[in-house]
């Protein structure tokens, strides 16, 4: 190689520090799964990140789109796959479709939480992250047998944002793949009283730090979107990660992974006597009890609220609908016949 070739390679390495395997001129692909509250603003965030002027539509089940960007002038465009899970927590099992052993090395998750609905916040977060983590861990367990080097690399990356000399190194439990938590609808959240905002902000700071995630508050405002877009562009296209931090609870939070600490966050927002009465096995469980004491989770069922797209007029197709009606009739007839046959069966009590 000439001196010029070496210089180019060095610049490319500095521009893309997280992409050690990328070669000059090689296209890389990243995948991101967006999930969170129903009507929490996931589609709007994706469209703004891709700079599309489309009006957001309700997400049905699992939807896909992609974006392309060039890292340098005259370079081939990299590809980012954007998956969006609809239905809140009701369709969480669909995460098995986009997250596979083939793309796990280049996969990330964006959890969008609606700040205007604190009573749904912890339930949504816990359900989605738990199912996702279990699925990713199953993939890693299989990889340890089939491709142990990749499994070891992914586990090592979990700790990349937290240096060994960080005071909280032994207190956190990083998510197995990169995670960004976005608090949406900040404009509504900002109208809450200061104490409510403080409790929600402190709790999300703890959860994000505990999982080794980045945290950002945003809304439809053009003034707030750039920071959320910067975090997502880092995951999707390898753009430089911002080092700026905003910890002031009276302002929108912006905390890249690894730049917070337990000492700065402080204890759970409860009195010493209340904390003493709460039984918890982990710090995460203690914060959950404190948060849900202030914001009791709603007893709602996402499955009941999920609309059947087959009954939505905007998706009407005459021939398909006629065939579906026929199949529904056949199914009902089968159920009646099966029920009748079951009742007529003579069981031997012996």
């Amino acid at each position: 190689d000439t001196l010029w070739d070496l210089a180019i390679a060095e610049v490319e390495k500095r521009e893309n520090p997280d992409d050690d395997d990328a070669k000059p001129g090689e296209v890389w692909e990243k995948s991101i799964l967006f999930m969170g509250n129903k009507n929490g603003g996931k589609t709007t965030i994706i469209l703004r990140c891709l700079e599309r002027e489309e009006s957001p539509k309700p997400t049905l089940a699992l939807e896909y789109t992609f974006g392309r960007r060039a890292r340098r002038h005259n370079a081939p465009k990299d590809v980012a796959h954007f998956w969006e899970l609809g239905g809140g927590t009701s369709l969480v099992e669909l995460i098995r479709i986009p997250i596979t052993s083939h793309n796990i090395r280049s996969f990330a998750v964006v959890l969008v939480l609606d700040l205007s609905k604190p009573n749904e916040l912890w339930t949504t977060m816990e359900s989605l992250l738990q199912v996702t983590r279990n699925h990713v861990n199953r993939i890693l367990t299989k990889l340890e047998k089939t491709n142990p080097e990749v499994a070891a690399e992914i586990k090592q990356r979990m700790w990349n944002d937290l240096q060994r000399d960080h005071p909280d190194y032994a207190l956190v439990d990083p998510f197995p793949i990169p995670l960004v938590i976005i608090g949406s609808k900040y404009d509504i959240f900002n109208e809450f009283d200061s104490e409510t905002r403080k409790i929600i902000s402190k709790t999300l700071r703890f959860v994000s730090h505990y999982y080794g995630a980045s945290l950002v508050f945003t809304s439809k405002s053009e003034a707030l979107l750039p920071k959320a877009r910067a975090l997502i562009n880092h995951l999707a296209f390898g753009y430089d990660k911002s080092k700026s931090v905003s910890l002031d609870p009276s302002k929108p939070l912006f905390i890249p992974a690894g730049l917070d600490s337990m000492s700065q966050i402080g204890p759970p927002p409860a009195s010493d006597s209340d904390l003493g009465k709460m039984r918890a096995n982990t710090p995460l469980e203690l914060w959950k009890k404190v948060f849900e004491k202030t914001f009791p989770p709603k007893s709602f069922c996402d499955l009941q609220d999920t609309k059947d797209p087959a009954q939505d007029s905007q998706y009407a197709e005459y021939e398909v609908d006629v065939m579906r009606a026929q199949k529904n009739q056949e199914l009902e007839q089968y159920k009646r016949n099966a029920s009748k046959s079951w009742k007529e069966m003579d069981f031997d009590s012996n």
Side-chain angles (χ1 to χ4, degrees):
D1 292 341
T2 66
L3 186 60
W4 185 246
D5 291 330
L6 294 173
I8 292 175
E10 179 64 24
V11 170
E12 288 175 342
K13 183 178 180 180
R14 291 181 181 178
E15 289 181 346
N16 304 283
D18 296 332
D19 190 32
D20 299 331
D21 299 328
K23 299 176 182 178
E26 183 180 12
V27 173
W28 74 354
E29 294 188 33
K30 300 287 184 178
S31 300
I32 302 178
L33 172 64
F34 288 76
M35 56 188 185
N37 294 91
K38 278 192 270 187
N39 303 315
K42 299 182 292 296
T43 305
T44 299
I45 292 171
I46 293 174
L47 292 175
R48 295 294 182 87
C49 285
L50 296 177
E51 299 177 357
R52 296 179 184 172
E53 298 298 328
E54 305 171 23
S55 298
K57 298 178 181 178
T59 301
L60 292 172
L62 185 66
E63 296 194 2
Y64 167 82
T65 188
F66 69 94
R68 302 179 68 194
R69 300 275 173 83
R71 277 172 280 174
R72 298 171 302 281
H73 182 63
N74 291 331
K77 291 185 177 181
D78 297 321
V79 180
H81 306 281
F82 290 81
W83 296 86
E84 182 183 355
L85 180 69
T89 61
S90 64
L91 303 172
V92 68
E93 293 301 326
L94 291 179
I95 64 158
R96 292 178 294 180
I97 296 174
I99 308 178
T100 68
S101 58
H102 300 292
N103 64 13
I104 191 69
R105 291 179 67 192
S106 58
F107 213 99
V109 169
V110 174
L111 177 64
V112 181
L113 298 174
D114 189 338
L115 296 174
S116 70
K117 299 177 180 178
N119 297 88
E120 299 178 15
L121 192 148
W122 193 284
T123 303
T124 299
M125 173 187 65
E126 183 178 54
S127 177
L128 292 172
L129 291 184
Q130 184 174 3
V131 173
T132 304
R133 185 168 206 160
N134 290 342
H135 176 63
V136 171
N137 285 339
R138 284 194 293 270
I139 292 176
L140 291 177
T141 301
K142 292 180 180 179
L143 282 176
E144 286 176 345
K145 299 176 181 178
T146 60
N147 199 334
E149 291 182 359
V150 171
E153 175 193 333
I154 294 172
K155 289 185 176 182
Q156 178 58 41
R157 285 184 180 180
M158 291 165 52
W159 296 93
N160 281 356
D161 291 316
L162 201 66
Q163 302 300 321
R164 285 191 175 274
D165 59 353
H166 193 289
D168 303 332
Y169 192 84
L171 303 176
V172 299
D173 186 17
F175 206 68
I177 54 179
L179 172 65
V180 170
I181 297 178
I182 297 180
S184 65
K185 301 187 180 179
Y186 177 80
D187 49 338
I188 300 176
F189 168 81
N190 200 36
E191 296 176 359
F192 294 169
D193 64 82
S194 60
E195 189 60 28
T196 297
R197 295 200 310 270
K198 182 179 178 181
I199 294 172
I200 297 172
S201 296
K202 282 191 68 170
T203 301
L204 287 180
R205 281 182 63 186
F206 169 81
V207 170
S208 298
H209 185 56
Y210 184 79
Y211 283 128
S214 297
L215 175 65
V216 61
F217 285 0
T218 190
S219 69
K220 292 182 179 180
S221 167
E222 288 295 336
L224 295 183
L225 275 171
K227 289 188 175 181
R229 188 186 295 134
L231 288 175
I232 295 171
N233 280 335
H234 170 71
L235 297 177
F237 302 107
Y239 287 14
D240 289 340
K241 189 193 306 186
S242 175
K243 295 296 183 181
S244 65
V245 178
S246 176
L247 302 175
D248 188 344
S250 66
K251 299 178 181 178
L253 294 179
F254 179 72
I255 314 172
L259 299 185
D260 209 343
S261 67
M262 298 294 187
S263 60
Q264 289 178 298
I265 296 170
S271 65
D272 292 340
S273 59
D274 286 342
L275 288 176
K277 297 175 184 177
M278 294 180 181
R279 294 184 178 181
N281 296 320
T282 65
L284 188 67
E285 188 177 339
L286 178 62
W287 277 82
K288 175 184 178 179
K289 290 180 178 293
V290 172
F291 185 82
E292 291 189 340
K293 183 178 181 181
T294 305
F295 305 105
K298 288 185 177 179
S299 57
F300 64 93
C301 180
D302 282 340
L303 285 170
Q304 294 177 348
D305 295 337
T306 302
K307 295 181 179 179
D308 184 357
Q311 307 301 323
D312 195 324
S313 59
Q314 68 173 318
Y315 302 109
E317 293 186 45
Y318 177 75
E319 294 181 356
V320 174
D321 293 340
V322 169
M323 180 60 69
R324 181 183 178 87
Q326 179 183 331
K327 293 298 180 182
N328 285 340
Q329 291 178 356
E330 293 175 1
L331 177 60
E332 289 303 318
Q333 184 62 43
Y334 172 80
K335 289 180 179 178
R336 287 193 292 269
N337 292 341
S339 177
K340 183 178 179 182
S341 300
W342 180 265
K343 292 177 181 178
E344 292 176 350
M345 293 179 70
D346 183 18
F347 292 96
D348 186 351
S349 59
N350 296 326

